[in-house]
Amino acid sequence: MPKIRIQDFHLEHTLLCGQLFRVTRQDDWYHIIVRDRILKIRQRFDCLEFHGVSKEFLLHYFALDEPYIAILTQINKDPYIDNAIKKYHGLRIIRQDPWECVISFLCSSAANIPKITLNLELLSSLFGKRIRLNKFEGYAFPNPGDLNSYQGILMAKTGFRAGYIKTANELVTEEFLQSLRKLSYSEAKKALKNIPGIGDKIADCILLFSLGFSEAFPIDIWIRRVLQEVYFKNRLISDKHLRDFGTNYFGKYAGYAQQFLYMFVRNSILKSDRRTQEGLGKVISKDRTLF
DNA sequence: CGTCAGGTAGCCA
DNA sequence: TGGCTACCTGAC
């Protein structure tokens, strides 16, 4: 089993911060399905043990070639995010497969992580080929063009998203997705938003998690809450304004800041007792007293 | 059982 | 640009 030593990397934070969905855990091992490969991996301190992919693939996939400490320095603008960065040190934004990322986030609208995972597993089992790594069996993610039955897509329990998935399957090619890398952030985003079902948030997720646009700052419900509470003192701010604030305030690597804030606010809310919650504002206020 | 969930499109002011 | 709502369906 190949091993590598790494620094400033936390496997669990990276896998469980909501950026990817096809991950399963078995004891201290994780299995990740990336298109048609299965990656088996575990971390022990500064050592990664892995199987199923090459070392080069691994380093690229987990973005271990990025200047991590420099990135953290750039986004560390205030005590609140400093706290989040310290708590989740080693969280990386990985380089997902763009096509799988498009479909994943089309499934994400008005859903939750368990449901998105279910949709992706069903789509894979209905349209993808069976794959195996030793005893671990699963289904490869279908290729562009393979999600060609509306009924099948519906059977994956995708609901109102089925039409979007069908159309994306007809519109999107690998070449199209790769061509986005050559464009500016705003041009690439505009091109993605031409696909029905992809709006600002989903486009930003695709750009950030799979196409290397680290300045993308997706505004989801959690980020909206934490920005409004912490940075705007509960004033109601439009998503467009919040997005502009995020990219301007955190800069070139705003997407990393987004991910740290997401983890920080989400986990502190999940850990608090829902029965005694009177509102999210109160919970986030509690959060602020942490620093 | 009701409500809600990583949003978007379409429609209106 | 901003505000509103329908939309499928599994989780909680």
Side-chain angles (χ1 to χ4, degrees), chain A residues 33-236:
Chain A
I33 301 184
V34 189
R35 285 297 287 274
D36 57 350
R37 308 160 192 245
I38 296 170
L39 161 60
K40 179 182 180 181
I41 187 165
R42 78 170 164 188
Q43 180 171 25
R44 288 186 165 175
F45 306 102
D46 63 345
C47 178
L48 283 179
E49 286 177 78
F50 64 99
H51 188 42
V53 302
S54 68
K55 179 184 172 185
E56 290 69 32
F57 180 93
L58 193 79
L59 294 176
H60 182 263
Y61 184 68
F62 286 120
L64 294 167
D65 51 350
E66 294 227 85
Y68 193 66
I69 300 302
I71 292 170
L72 298 189
T73 306
Q74 282 200 45
I75 62 171
N76 197 339
K77 299 284 186 182
D78 58 71
Y80 190 89
I81 187 141
D82 180 62
N83 204 4
I85 290 170
K86 285 200 168 65
K87 187 166 177 186
Y88 295 103
H89 185 89
L91 188 164
R92 300 265 181 163
I93 290 178
I94 67 173
R95 298 195 181 103
Q96 289 190 46
D97 177 80
W99 164 247
E100 190 171 341
C101 197
V102 165
I103 301 301
S104 298
F105 284 93
L106 273 176
C107 291
S108 76
S109 67
N112 49 38
I113 290 173
K115 182 162 190 294
I116 300 164
T117 306
L118 174 71
N119 290 157
L120 296 175
E121 287 316 305
L122 288 171
L123 285 172
S124 300
S125 64
L126 287 162
F127 295 98
K129 66 174 193 285
R130 195 148 179 77
I131 52 175
R132 194 166 71 85
L133 180 71
N134 299 329
K135 286 184 175 177
F136 185 88
E137 295 191 52
Y139 290 91
F141 196 80
N143 293 321
D146 287 350
L147 293 167
N148 49 14
S149 151
Y150 181 73
Q151 285 306 316
I153 298 168
L154 267 183
M155 279 168 61
K157 304 181 178 178
T158 49
F160 68 85
R161 306 157 197 84
Y164 296 148
I165 294 169
K166 179 74 171 19
T167 306
N169 180 67
E170 288 157 7
L171 255 38
V172 176
T173 61
E174 305 278 10
E175 295 72 39
F176 166 74
L177 291 167
Q178 292 308 323
S179 74
L180 298 179
R181 296 183 193 274
K182 302 187 197 86
L183 304 179
S184 69
Y185 164 71
S186 61
E187 286 173 326
K189 185 166 178 178
K190 200 198 290 181
L192 281 173
K193 284 173 69 176
N194 283 333
I195 300 162
I198 299 185
D200 280 302
K201 193 270 176 183
I202 293 179
D204 277 331
C205 286
I206 298 165
L207 292 170
L208 177 62
F209 298 140
S210 76
L211 291 170
F213 289 89
S214 55
E215 69 267 52
F217 194 83
I219 304 294
D220 62 40
I221 188 162
W222 303 100
I223 296 301
R224 189 180 302 130
R225 283 168 184 162
V226 71
L227 290 186
Q228 289 194 166
E229 164 71 17
V230 176
Y231 297 97
F232 293 95
K233 299 182 178 174
N234 273 333
R235 269 174 50 228
L236 217 62

